[in-house]
């Protein structure tokens, strides 16, 4: 006798509800980790490094050259900032993974043990996704959705190796890659719209007080705040997505 398997489905309302519940349950720890590893890092780097300015994307060679020059000039600040932010984000995924953690320090310790394989896996997945963007853009978008849960999967079970975690991520997101991508784009659009409005208002007020230069430390702080809000929103949403889809995906 054959049994019909229910198709995997991502319920956005359940994701939203689960994300809110996770934040409420660990609010203090989330604020502490995100504040130290994401907000402070973004604030300091935003104050020290000039914003990236690309005049046009019509000429790909010019855009790539501008990016390369920007990172070559600022990598001593950008690279450590990226590493600290990745570690803080991974710590939040560990915190939200459902592990029995007695204190925040345990999440930081687990994240430290996972960081090296997570970094390598992220680089491999990132190169594959970038290759997809170079091909026809659409494959890159699709792969972004399919691999978005990698940190949540790795944080949930540190016994898996890097290769097994990538395969598990691919299985968990099967048939839901576009749904995950749509959720990610919605979160990014909502936060960046709010960021643009608030940052513009703060910039106008700063310039009215201090002249054309504004108040850089205040403006970079506001920008860092929204970077942190976006990062935490992504982590909460993707952790909730992972819980929902993992429950529908048998272990292999």
């Amino acid at each position: 006798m054959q049994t019909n398997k229910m198709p995997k489905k991502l319920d956005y309302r359940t994701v939203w509800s689960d994300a809110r519940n996770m934040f409420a349950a660990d609010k203090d720890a989330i604020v502490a980790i995100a504040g130290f590893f994401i907000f402070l890092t973004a604030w300091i780097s935003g104050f020290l490094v000039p914003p990236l300015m690309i005049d046009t994307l019509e000429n790909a060679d010019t855009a790539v050259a501008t990016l390369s020059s920007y990172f070559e000039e600022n990598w001593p600040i950008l690279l450590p900032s990226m590493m600290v932010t990745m570690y803080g984000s991974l710590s939040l995924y560990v915190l939200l993974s459902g592990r029995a953690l007695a204190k925040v320090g345990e999440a930081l310790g687990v994240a430290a043990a996972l960081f090296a394989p997570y970094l390598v896996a992220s680089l491999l997945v990132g190169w594959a996704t970038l290759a997809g963007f170079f091909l026809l853009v659409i494959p890159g978008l699709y792969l972004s959705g399919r691999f978005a849960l990698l940190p949540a999967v790795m944080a949930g079970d540190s016994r898996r190796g890097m290769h097994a975690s990538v395969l598990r991520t691919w299985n968990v997101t099967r048939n839901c890659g576009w749904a995950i991508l749509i959720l990610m784009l919605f979160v990014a659009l909502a936060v960046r719209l709010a960021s643009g409005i608030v940052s513009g208002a703060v910039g106008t007020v700063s310039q009215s007080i201090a002249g054309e230069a504004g108040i850089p430390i205040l403006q970079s702080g506001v920008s860092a705040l929204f970077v942190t809000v976006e990062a935490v929103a992504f982590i909460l949403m993707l952790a909730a997505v992972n819980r929902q889809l993992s429950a529908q995906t048998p272990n292999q």
Side-chain angles (χ1 to χ4, degrees):
M1 179 178 179
Q2 294 182 339
T3 58
N4 294 324
K5 292 183 178 180
M6 294 291 292
K8 193 180 295 184
K9 181 181 179 182
L10 181 61
D11 186 330
Y12 290 143
R13 284 191 292 183
T14 301
V15 169
W16 171 245
S17 177
D18 196 16
R20 284 190 305 169
N21 292 337
M22 284 191 288
F23 181 75
D26 292 300
K27 179 172 60 176
D28 292 340
I30 291 171
V31 170
I33 294 174
F36 186 80
F37 290 101
I38 302 177
F39 173 75
L40 284 179
T41 301
W43 193 4
I44 294 170
S45 63
F47 182 65
L48 295 177
V49 177
L52 173 62
M53 302 295 292
I54 298 179
D55 295 330
T56 179
L57 294 176
E58 293 180 1
N59 189 321
D61 292 337
T62 302
V64 170
T66 302
L67 281 170
S68 299
S69 176
Y70 179 79
F71 284 106
E72 284 177 9
E73 293 175 1
N74 300 291
W75 73 265
I77 296 173
L78 294 176
L79 182 59
S81 297
M82 181 191 70
M83 301 291 280
V84 171
T85 300
M86 286 183 68
Y87 172 69
S89 299
L90 184 59
S91 299
L92 288 175
Y93 278 112
V94 172
L95 181 70
L96 301 171
S97 65
R99 294 169 179 263
L101 301 170
K103 51 187 178 180
V104 175
E106 291 187 16
L108 298 177
V110 173
L114 287 171
F115 187 72
Y118 168 60
L119 179 61
V120 174
S122 296
L123 289 172
L124 293 175
V125 166
W127 279 112
T129 303
L130 184 62
F133 277 108
F134 277 129
L135 287 175
L136 289 170
V137 177
I138 298 298
L141 292 172
Y142 176 72
L143 291 175
S144 296
R146 290 299 302 270
F147 288 125
L149 301 187
L150 178 62
V153 170
M154 294 192 73
D157 189 351
S158 54
R159 295 171 298 179
R160 287 195 188 98
M162 182 180 64
H163 181 257
S165 294
V166 172
L167 290 179
R168 175 65 179 171
T169 301
W170 189 256
N171 289 330
V172 168
T173 59
R174 180 172 284 116
N175 299 327
C176 295
W178 292 116
I180 295 170
L181 178 65
I182 290 170
L183 178 62
M184 292 166 62
L185 292 175
F186 175 79
V187 171
L189 180 63
V191 176
R192 294 184 187 190
L193 180 61
S195 174
I197 294 171
V198 175
S199 296
V202 171
T204 301
V205 173
S206 298
Q207 289 177 345
S208 68
I209 295 172
E212 187 176 350
I215 308 175
I217 193 169
L218 173 61
Q219 292 169 259
S220 61
V222 172
S223 177
L225 174 63
F226 279 99
V227 167
T228 306
V229 169
E230 182 174 353
V232 171
F234 265 106
I235 292 166
L236 285 167
M237 290 294 179
L238 293 177
V241 169
N242 182 54
R243 288 189 183 189
Q244 185 180 145
L245 295 184
S246 291
Q248 304 176 52
T249 308
N251 289 314
Q252 295 180 346

